[in-house]
Amino acid sequence: DVLSGRGNFVNAHPGNQRFRAYVLTQKKNYTATAKGDKPAFAKLIVNTIRSLVPPGRFLIQDKNSELWSDIGDHKAWNKTRQALR
């Protein structure tokens, strides 16, 4: 799982570390791609994470209940596009 948020807890999470490593493998191709085709890289990475066995999720923690919930594809794509920059 890839956790959303700030701080060492999120950065040190194994899922976030694997996410960043995978993003790095795609970054060179991303920078060489035309602007209109760049969103495809974010979708590819999100789909790859979600297709793992067991499936990876993009999660955020509710501040009140402290429960984790999926952020959905749009926010996952945004998080991935930010990581690719």
Side-chain angles (χ1 to χ4, degrees):
D1 293 334
V2 179
L3 305 181
S4 293
R6 299 174 61 107
N8 290 336
F9 172 74
V10 171
N11 288 331
H13 186 269
N16 288 57
Q17 292 175 345
R18 285 190 294 271
F19 169 74
R20 286 193 305 276
Y22 186 63
V23 165
L24 281 176
T25 67
Q26 298 296 323
K27 199 165 194 166
K28 187 175 181 180
N29 294 330
Y30 177 81
T31 56
T33 300
K35 186 176 181 178
D37 296 330
K38 289 187 177 190
F41 280 91
K43 291 179 181 182
L44 168 76
I45 293 169
V46 170
N47 289 341
T48 299
I49 300 290
R50 292 194 186 278
S51 298
L52 295 172
V53 178
R57 301 170 293 177
F58 288 81
L59 303 174
I60 192 165
Q61 190 174 34
D62 182 274
K63 292 177 184 178
N64 297 321
S65 69
E66 297 186 0
L67 297 175
W68 293 91
S69 60
D70 196 287
I71 63 174
D73 285 336
H74 186 72
K75 287 184 180 178
W77 296 334
N78 289 341
K79 178 178 183 67
T80 305
R81 281 194 291 263
Q82 181 66 39
L84 283 163
R85 292 187 201 128

